[in-house]
Amino acid sequence: MIVYFSATGNSKYAAERIAAALGDRAVSIEEKCYDITLKEDECFGIVTPTHWWALPIPVRAFLRNLRLHRRGSHYVFVASTYGTTPGCSAEETRHLLRERGIRLSAAYNIKMPDNWTVTFDLTDPVKVARQNEKAEINIDRTIAMILHKKKGNFTKLRTPYAIYPFTDRVFAKVRSTKNLTVDDNCNGCGLCAKKCPVNAIEMRDGKPVWVRDRCALCFRCLHHCPQFAIQFWKGATRKHGQYTNPNVKV
Ligand SMILES: Cc1cc2nc3c(=O)[nH]c(=O)nc-3n(C[C@H](O)[C@H](O)[C@H](O)COP(=O)(O)O)c2cc1C
Ligand code: SF4
Ligand code: SF4
């Protein structure tokens, strides 16, 4: 079984490709499938974006609740999609799984367009298409290794796990919902509130209101808004455009 979290479709697409190659299914962690019983010889894979050199908040919550019922030994892997620096997401997965009595067999990375549009410009469709073409090669390579049940940490550009408490403190500050704003282009459709994975948005008087101090900062609302009315640090994201993976249904 392959489980995934995905804000803008990259990880969903990678999860579906991997699941198809394994003759398996890809299930979103937002379905809250915490109790998982594996068949004999079935693989268990987690496909996730990298957030702030680590795991997204919803993935951490999922792994802390996971109950994996096994028959014998199973191949367990994590594949994190990333834009520039995967950091310690593999190591964090290993730690969280170990707390649940599960041993991680392998960790992979798949480079894809970087949806952290505070920094990265995704306005050029040709450049983005080229990045997605390169990602296909990366996905194929990852699939080949998974099919061979390779063991080890195959991630690149790792950051030491020792700096995780520091980087996570910074991430917690950045995740303040005060940094997310909505402008006059909002048409009140409510999609952002409906799609937020941590229910941080409520519609009030036809406008989104962030009702939590902090959110997961996945950028799903920002990239899916039909009016591009949601920004982070205002101008920083406006000039870098919106992104959703072209291969998955939004
Ligand atoms: C808040 C945030 C933080 C991110 N941090 C990193 C990072 O530390 N390293 C990196 O390479 N990519 C980072 N990214 C980029 C995503 O990991 C990458 O675009 C991923 O493929 C998105 O997957 P999705 O489309 O399944 O959501 C970040 C994206 C967001 C929104
Ligand atoms: S998705 Fe965009 S347009 Fe729709 S309610 Fe949210 S901010 Fe407004
Ligand atoms: S408010 Fe937006 S960025 Fe924050 S968790 Fe919800 S969808 Fe993601």
Side-chain angles (χ1 to χ4, degrees):
M1 183 173 180
I2 311 300
V3 294
Y4 69 87
F5 173 70
S6 187
T8 58
N10 285 348
S11 311
K12 181 177 184 195
Y13 177 63
E16 285 174 349
R17 286 277 322 275
I18 295 168
L22 291 171
D24 208 332
R25 62 207 164 108
V27 179
S28 165
I29 63 164
E30 289 170 81
E31 287 184 25
K32 297 194 170 28
C33 45
Y34 300 128
D35 258 296
I36 296 172
T37 304
L38 295 178
K39 288 185 243 128
E40 217 165 309
D41 278 341
E42 190 180 347
C43 297
F44 180 67
I46 304 143
V47 186
T48 172
T50 306
H51 281 176
W52 219 259
W53 293 356
L55 289 175
I57 301 297
V59 177
R60 297 181 199 179
F62 172 80
L63 292 178
R64 289 195 179 105
N65 283 295
L66 176 66
R67 288 175 298 272
L68 200 61
H69 308 285
R70 290 157 280 174
R71 290 175 189 186
S73 68
H74 297 266
Y75 184 69
V76 177
F77 66 88
V78 61
S80 21
T81 68
Y82 75 104
T84 50
T85 322
C88 59
S89 56
E91 198 54 18
E92 190 186 8
T93 311
R94 193 171 71 80
H95 278 263
L96 289 174
L97 285 176
R98 199 168 57 188
E99 281 169 22
R100 311 301 295 157
I102 305 160
R103 188 194 284 260
L104 185 68
S105 316
Y108 302 98
N109 281 147
I110 299 164
K111 189 169 162 65
M112 296 184 93
D114 198 317
N115 66 1
W116 175 248
T117 43
V118 174
T119 316
F120 299 100
D121 183 2
L122 296 180
T123 52
D124 181 348
V126 177
K127 209 167 130 192
V128 173
R130 215 176 293 133
Q131 289 174 355
N132 273 316
E133 274 165 33
K134 281 192 185 161
E136 293 292 339
I137 301 166
N138 238 299
I139 295 172
D140 286 340
R141 202 177 297 143
T142 305
I143 287 173
M145 291 172 83
I146 291 169
L147 288 172
H148 282 95
K149 297 196 175 166
K150 294 268 184 204
K151 288 192 177 170
N153 187 346
F154 304 104
T155 60
K156 297 168 209 130
L157 301 164
R158 291 177 219 162
T159 49
Y161 197 54
I163 68 164
Y164 170 79
F166 169 73
T167 51
D168 195 46
R169 265 202 301 278
V170 178
F171 189 33
K173 285 209 177 100
V174 178
R175 289 192 289 108
S176 166
T177 50
K178 285 189 190 130
N179 293 325
L180 288 155
T181 48
V182 61
D183 64 31
D184 290 343
N185 292 320
C186 170
N187 62 14
C189 71
L191 197 71
C192 50
K194 203 169 133 197
K195 282 190 174 267
C196 175
V198 295
N199 301 318
I201 306 175
E202 271 177 24
M203 294 302 290
R204 290 185 190 160
D205 299 325
K207 292 279 176 233
V209 174
W210 280 266
V211 291
R212 294 178 58 168
D213 292 340
R214 284 181 190 145
C215 70
L217 198 62
C218 67
F219 272 12
R220 186 184 280 168
C221 56
L222 185 152
H223 287 296
H224 282 84
C225 170
Q227 299 294 109
F228 196 15
I230 295 177
Q231 305 295 334
F232 186 80
W233 291 336
K234 295 183 180 157
T237 46
R238 193 188 305 278
K239 64 175 188 276
H240 290 154
Q242 283 176 298
Y243 172 78
T244 50
N245 187 290
N247 300 308
V248 293
K249 202 166 165 273
V250 175

